[in-house]
Amino acid sequence: MEVGSPSMVIIEGDYINPLSDKSTKLVRDGALVIEESTAGGRLIDCGPRDLVWRRLSRKAEVAQVIDRRGMMLAPGFVDVHFHWVQDDVRLMPKDSLLEWLSKYTWPYEAKFKSVDHSKKRAQKFSSELLQAGTLAGLVYGSIHDHSVDDALNYFQGEFACGNVLMTMNSPANLLQTPVQALKAVRSLGKKWRTRYALTPRFAPTTHPEVMRKGMSIAREFDCMVQTHLSESLNEIDYVLELYRQIKGFEDVSSYTEIYDRVGLLTPKTVLGHAIHLSPAEWKLLKKRGSAIACCPSSNAPVKEGGLGSGVFNYLEANRYKVPWALASDIGGGPYLSMLDVMHSFIRQQKRARREASFALAHHRATRAGAKIMGVDKQVGTLDRGSMASFIVLPGGSRSTRSALDAELYWRRLLNKKGSQRADYDHLVLETYVDGKLAFSQIGQ
Ligand SMILES: [Zn+2]
């Protein structure tokens, strides 16, 4: 390979590149080569350090060598479902989904009416994302248009965001008319296009007509689509009872079918949770090509900081070939770090007597999510040609004399005795976005 450009940066260290659920490329004593241009830094080569240096034809053009030997380089995380406007409620008491929403979540989201509050919180949240190493994701804002603009203006990486649509069964301070909701969808969809996500909060809060008309706008501008589906059993009863009283839905057989009847299920649709699905619903999702955001730390038992909704059956999703990826679901989930989400996923699956490896969880916290969002050529991998958006983690090969494989690496990092879940938010040592250092705690 011809390597040589006016400005190249080499970063040396071990690295880990998730390829699939079962396969991870872990290179000890490796190096990444970043070519810098006005469009940002791209990875143009990677491999064992000595091989990478040998392949460089014009060493003089290497502008900088960053020594991170003894540390682990990994792709930035992709979080396919979180509510950036719920940062303040993630550790609030969670008795049940519907209660937590009305008692804590909605009053906090109402505060985002203030343009000033929204801007300040977006700046803060942007730093939290960099610190957690999350460089792509699908984001829920509040009902307010500027909550979308602020997220997309401040968050660094590949994010798509939508304003939640709340046109029925919502508190007065968060209630929109269908006309207001659709007007916002049109203007934000036109402005942000593929970075906009049509976001009915969930079936009970959004008129079916608003969802139907919203979808035609989303198609026009090639937007993403996101909503919640079948998170808890109480919720499903409530949704079906409600919809069977609405004209055109009297005979609807499932929660999933409600979304299908309004044309919401497409290959650009990501459904949060989908824990309690019937075989017919799985088949319908497969047929429509829609994906699922699995949010283990949010679904976890109440005593573990979640809403106690149940455990997502990832084996069923695989069996029906429904794409899925991991997500934090802040504030249903208590922590933003995808390391906590990976850890929680394995814990919940083990409890449900399903085997799940860290390698699988890592793949679903990076590449799989990027693929669902259609940005896997840019982020979520350390493949040649992708943007140089990656993180630096502690504990590479210098910290161990034994053979280092991905499983062992993650186990050592995340199962460390005495470590607290909140510590995961501080494990990332450095974060690079498009080749530029955006966060660092090395040498502090
Ligand atoms: Zn959610």
Side-chain angles (χ1 to χ4, degrees):
M1 170 183 181
E2 175 65 28
V3 178
S5 80
S7 181
M8 278 189 292
V9 174
I10 315 272
I11 177 154
E12 298 180 330
D14 296 350
Y15 70 84
I16 197 164
N17 188 18
L19 304 175
S20 68
D21 284 350
K22 292 195 174 116
S23 166
T24 301
K25 191 172 177 68
L26 190 149
V27 175
R28 297 179 78 153
D29 209 9
L32 309 178
V33 183
I34 303 166
E35 183 180 65
E36 293 191 323
S37 73
T38 46
R42 250 176 216 287
L43 290 178
I44 56 164
D45 196 13
C46 52
R49 191 163 63 99
D50 43 350
L51 276 182
V52 164
W53 275 107
R54 234 176 286 155
R55 281 200 288 261
L56 285 170
S57 54
R58 281 164 287 180
K59 292 192 172 72
E61 287 164 358
V62 175
Q64 193 188 2
V65 179
I66 302 170
D67 184 359
R68 294 290 175 261
R69 283 177 289 169
M71 300 177 205
M72 184 65 81
L73 316 175
F77 291 114
V78 182
D79 185 346
V80 292
H81 180 126
F82 66 94
H83 302 251
W84 86 266
V85 292
Q86 292 180 12
D87 203 21
D88 287 333
V89 297
R90 56 201 178 91
L91 298 171
M92 296 284 181
K94 295 169 186 167
D95 303 319
S96 81
L97 166 69
L98 300 174
E99 242 178 74
W100 172 76
L101 276 176
S102 56
K103 219 157 137 188
Y104 299 108
T105 309
W106 291 352
Y108 273 87
E109 286 192 18
K111 291 184 184 177
F112 282 79
K113 186 177 180 199
S114 152
V115 173
D116 198 41
H117 177 73
S118 176
K119 205 175 281 302
K120 278 189 192 136
R121 298 309 306 238
Q123 283 163 327
K124 179 174 176 275
F125 203 91
S126 166
S127 333
E128 289 173 13
L129 284 165
L130 292 173
Q131 184 177 321
T134 299
L135 299 183
L138 268 173
V139 192
Y140 287 65
S142 58
I143 61 162
H144 315 99
D145 298 19
H146 52 260
S147 72
V148 174
D149 294 331
D150 290 337
L152 294 176
N153 283 327
Y154 287 109
F155 299 175
Q156 295 189 49
E158 299 287 333
F159 292 91
C161 183
N163 49 318
V164 285
L165 305 175
M166 298 174 75
T167 58
M168 61 181 192
N169 302 308
S170 304
N173 55 352
L174 288 177
L175 190 68
Q176 310 154 291
T177 66
V179 172
Q180 285 169 330
L182 288 166
K183 198 173 156 219
V185 169
R186 175 157 289 283
S187 77
L188 289 164
K190 193 174 174 190
K191 180 173 181 184
W192 293 105
R193 304 205 169 231
T194 54
R195 300 187 66 198
Y196 181 67
L198 179 80
T199 310
R201 175 161 218 132
F202 67 150
T205 63
T206 316
H207 281 95
E209 261 324 286
V210 172
M211 293 200 263
R212 194 172 283 131
K213 286 179 180 155
M215 276 309 294
S216 81
I217 301 169
R219 271 191 298 273
E220 189 181 332
F221 298 115
D222 200 21
C223 307
M224 295 292 298
V225 181
Q226 60 182 350
T227 189
H228 295 85
L229 169 68
S230 295
E231 181 171 356
S232 76
L233 294 170
N234 282 352
E235 175 208 6
I236 297 170
D237 290 344
Y238 167 56
V239 170
L240 287 176
E241 203 184 300
L242 189 78
Y243 267 77
R244 282 175 184 153
Q245 292 164 33
I246 297 177
K247 201 166 172 276
F249 293 85
E250 297 89 342
D251 60 342
V252 78
S253 66
S254 70
Y255 197 163
T256 307
E257 201 193 324
I258 293 172
Y259 289 138
D260 196 43
R261 285 198 187 180
V262 295
L264 203 95
L265 304 180
T266 73
K268 298 205 78 167
T269 305
V270 180
L271 301 149
H273 307 293
I275 297 175
H276 311 280
L277 299 183
S278 66
E281 290 178 284
W282 279 114
K283 280 183 201 152
L284 184 54
L285 291 180
K286 154 79 182 136
K287 202 167 156 191
R288 300 288 182 249
S290 302
I292 293 172
C294 161
C295 313
S297 55
S298 167
N299 305 150
V302 173
K303 64 177 187 321
E304 289 173 22
L307 287 155
S309 309
V311 183
F312 174 70
N313 191 337
Y314 85 91
L315 293 175
E316 283 287 83
N318 289 352
R319 197 156 70 84
Y320 284 101
K321 296 192 169 54
V322 172
W324 63 277
L326 288 174
S328 71
D329 191 27
I330 289 290
Y335 298 107
L336 185 60
S337 171
M338 291 302 284
L339 295 166
D340 180 64
V341 173
M342 285 164 57
H343 194 259
S344 177
F345 173 74
I346 289 167
R347 207 167 160 191
Q348 315 296 325
Q349 295 299 328
K350 282 209 171 122
R351 207 173 286 152
R353 300 184 184 284
R354 288 191 282 269
E355 269 311 308
S357 66
F358 275 112
L360 178 152
H362 188 219
H363 170 239
R364 296 288 171 172
T366 51
R367 186 185 294 265
K371 205 165 175 199
I372 286 169
M373 290 183 64
V375 295
D376 53 323
K377 295 278 177 281
Q378 281 85 46
V379 289
T381 81
L382 292 181
D383 295 351
R384 287 191 184 96
S386 70
M387 297 310 289
S389 294
F390 59 93
I391 57 175
V392 180
L393 288 163
S397 55
R398 279 188 184 177
S399 62
T400 173
R401 263 178 285 172
S402 58
L404 188 68
D405 69 8
E407 213 50 37
L408 184 64
Y409 171 71
W410 290 118
R411 240 182 289 139
R412 282 199 179 153
L413 186 72
L414 301 179
N415 285 350
K416 210 180 266 172
K417 238 186 169 164
S419 67
Q420 306 285 319
R421 288 177 70 187
D423 298 343
Y424 296 147
D425 278 352
H426 308 284
L427 268 184
V428 172
L429 300 172
E430 277 186 337
T431 302
Y432 291 78
V433 184
D434 297 350
K436 293 267 174 298
L437 182 64
F439 163 78
S440 178
Q441 58 167 321
I442 291 178
Q444 282 176 8

